[in-house]
Amino acid sequence: MLERKKGYTPYQSFQYLEAGVDYRRTEPAAECNAFVPGGIELYPLNAEQEARAKKIADTHIFISLHEHPFCFPKDLGEVFSWTGENRVQTAYQGLSESLWDCVFDNLMDGCCLITSKAGWKWQDVIYDMGMRMSDIAHQKFLIRCGTVDDIVRAKKEGKIAWVPVLESAMPVENELDRVDILHGLGVRHMGITYSESNSLGSGIKEDRDGGLTYLGRQVVERMNKVGIAIDCSHVGPQTTRDIITYSTKPVIISHTGARALWDSKRLMLDDDMKACADKGGIIGIEAAPHTTITRDQRTHSIESFMEHFEYVKDLIGIDHVSFGPDTLYGDHCNLHKALASQLSMKQTQQSNSQGAANEFPRVPYVRYMENPTEGSHNILRWLVAHDYSEADIAKVMGGNAMRVLQEVW
């Protein structure tokens, strides 16, 4: 069993209500890796490395720039009725066994389907945020994070700073003041598009990228002013370049990898990552199933994931790379199948230029990176096993993110 954070207080989502009376409860997935015996698989270290890893984790702040740290239904056949009910169960125990001191929670986003089949409706997003924040308000382990000081406090108290995030600004529609409203409700990080284009700019699923619109420039300016970090993870390349140009603050590309290693629209071009770094921004490497694979390592695991990390680190420097694993608790691979339309999986997973050269084996789960608990431990353990210095580990596990957030927030 992994050691739990000292600030953890046992609590289950919505325990202040009566299941079956106040709401319909859906059986959640396990807060561990259901694919391996014992529920967790740790990257191997020797005794000396174990001690070094523990010292680093105890000393430095660890930040995940992109997660969905809640339990999807155990039975994915219930996923659409569950999204309509919108009683999302946060994985408090699983998070308590992780090494993260701060987690960027991307909520249900476009999978919040209360009134819509397409997602991203303003009222649905607000409903989702309100439900989650009510649950968060009834527990004592996650701290609603609005400032860098909250992250420092969470580390000191053995708790986790919880950052509400939206992956797309689509709910803003043409109402610029909604940026202020979202900030007031706690949002501190927001993407401009989520794969599909909107009134602000083009998403990665498009064959033609029209760049940032006039309204998009207004939203970028307003996000800079109110203190919401800008994300370009699902944004088209020209729109990304425009955002980096127009933003007066560093931009975060929270969950991606290098397209030079695998020809997928979900991954970033070298020049765009360089532009992000040149403005002081950071790139977070992601581990969602079948994203950060490479031509040399087509079976998705921590090894292909870290190949992307090392490529980006060598390209733009150790000061501009971090991690946004994009993991959750549940059957992530089959969830992608169930929600393929909402996630634009077919249109964004690969480019069209490689054909058969881009074939790869499907995995049931990403080894060592199945959920936020495993990922937090195994990224650190991989870095220790590969002889990274404590200073460099501190940077990529949280220090680089802290630098950017101090400037942006």
Side-chain angles (χ1 to χ4, degrees):
M1 180 181 292
L2 297 175
E3 182 179 343
R4 291 182 184 162
K5 290 182 177 289
K6 65 180 182 182
Y8 172 66
T9 302
Y11 173 87
Q12 291 186 345
S13 284
F14 309 113
Q15 69 178 38
Y16 54 93
L17 300 176
E18 186 177 352
V21 175
D22 297 313
Y23 70 101
R24 185 182 70 84
R25 185 178 185 275
T26 300
E27 183 67 22
E31 297 182 34
C32 61
N33 187 343
F35 295 96
V36 300
I40 192 78
E41 187 174 19
L42 295 178
Y43 197 84
L45 296 178
N46 61 35
E48 181 182 352
Q49 292 169 333
E50 291 276 4
R52 183 167 176 254
K54 185 178 188 313
K55 175 181 177 294
I56 292 171
D58 288 345
T59 304
H60 300 285
I61 290 173
F62 286 9
I63 298 173
S64 175
L65 290 171
H66 191 98
E67 301 284 13
H68 297 273
F70 41 84
C71 301
F72 276 84
K74 183 177 181 180
D75 178 2
L76 287 179
E78 296 188 278
V79 71
F80 286 104
S81 60
W82 175 77
T83 56
E85 182 75 14
N86 208 243
R87 291 284 179 179
V88 176
Q89 300 182 52
T90 304
Y92 296 108
Q93 181 176 318
L95 288 173
S96 76
E97 296 174 345
S98 79
L99 295 180
W100 300 124
D101 302 301
C102 174
V103 172
F104 282 52
D105 185 336
N106 289 263
L107 308 172
M108 285 298 289
D109 283 345
C111 299
C112 184
L113 306 173
I114 300 168
T115 66
S116 164
K117 293 181 181 179
W120 293 117
K121 301 301 181 286
W122 172 258
Q123 61 185 359
D124 288 6
V125 167
I126 298 302
Y127 189 103
D128 177 40
M129 289 175 58
M131 281 287 198
R132 291 293 303 285
M133 290 182 179
S134 177
D135 187 44
I136 297 294
H138 283 84
Q139 55 79 56
K140 299 179 179 179
F141 174 53
L142 300 187
I143 297 171
R144 276 188 57 177
C145 180
T147 69
V148 170
D149 289 343
D150 292 329
I151 302 174
V152 175
R153 178 165 72 92
K155 177 70 173 182
K156 182 178 180 180
E157 296 179 3
K159 298 181 179 181
I160 293 178
W162 179 77
V163 184
V165 179
L166 294 179
E167 290 196 63
S168 173
M170 185 177 285
V172 170
E173 297 178 322
N174 63 342
E175 305 284 350
L176 185 59
D177 285 350
R178 285 184 179 177
V179 175
D180 303 58
I181 294 169
L182 291 171
H183 183 271
L185 293 173
V187 172
R188 291 295 181 271
H189 188 64
M190 183 164 66
I192 297 300
T193 69
Y194 182 89
S195 298
E196 293 183 349
S197 296
N198 57 34
S199 58
L200 312 184
S202 295
I204 57 172
K205 73 185 290 184
E206 306 294 346
D207 293 327
R208 296 182 180 180
D209 185 344
L212 197 64
T213 66
Y214 181 79
L215 178 61
R217 296 198 295 272
Q218 289 182 299
V219 168
V220 166
E221 181 181 14
R222 185 65 62 89
M223 290 173 71
N224 286 162
K225 288 179 177 178
V226 302
I228 297 179
I230 298 172
D231 200 336
C232 294
S233 298
H234 287 265
V235 179
Q238 182 58 55
T239 303
T240 294
R241 290 189 284 273
D242 290 348
I243 292 167
I244 293 169
T245 298
Y246 282 102
S247 178
T248 60
K249 302 289 181 66
V251 169
I252 298 173
I253 305 176
S254 67
H255 58 299
T256 190
R259 196 180 297 189
L261 297 182
W262 189 253
D263 189 19
S264 166
K265 290 182 177 181
R266 272 294 294 115
L267 307 178
M268 300 298 295
L269 298 166
D270 284 5
D271 285 349
D272 296 342
M273 290 191 286
K274 290 177 181 178
C276 178
D278 287 344
K279 289 287 288 282
I282 51 174
I283 311 292
I285 308 302
E286 83 158 290
H290 309 120
T291 54
T292 42
I293 50 183
T294 74
R295 294 183 185 88
D296 293 332
Q297 301 188 81
R298 298 181 182 225
T299 299
H300 201 189
S301 74
I302 194 171
E303 301 299 344
S304 60
F305 168 78
M306 295 305 288
E307 186 178 342
H308 280 268
F309 161 75
E310 293 202 305
Y311 180 90
V312 176
K313 178 258 299 182
D314 292 341
L315 178 73
I316 61 176
I318 195 75
D319 294 326
H320 298 284
V321 63
S322 192
F323 298 100
D326 193 11
T327 60
L328 51 85
Y329 296 88
D331 188 345
H332 203 162
C333 291
N334 280 320
L335 181 71
H336 275 183
K337 294 178 182 178
L339 296 174
S341 176
Q342 283 73 26
L343 301 175
S344 300
M345 298 299 297
K346 182 179 179 180
Q347 297 85 358
T348 63
Q349 193 167 63
Q350 296 182 1
S351 296
N352 297 321
S353 60
Q354 293 295 317
N358 256 11
E359 293 179 357
F360 59 92
R362 300 281 171 169
V363 296
Y365 69 99
V366 182
R367 191 175 186 197
Y368 295 118
M369 295 295 299
E370 173 59 11
N371 55 50
T373 307
E374 268 197 5
S376 65
H377 286 272
N378 288 326
I379 294 171
L380 169 64
R381 295 169 75 88
W382 192 98
L383 292 167
V384 168
H386 289 76
D387 296 323
Y388 276 77
S389 70
E390 180 173 344
D392 283 348
I393 293 174
K395 287 180 179 181
V396 301
M397 292 300 292
N400 292 338
M402 287 289 280
R403 171 184 57 79
V404 171
L405 296 175
Q406 285 171 340
E407 184 170 351
V408 173
W409 285 353

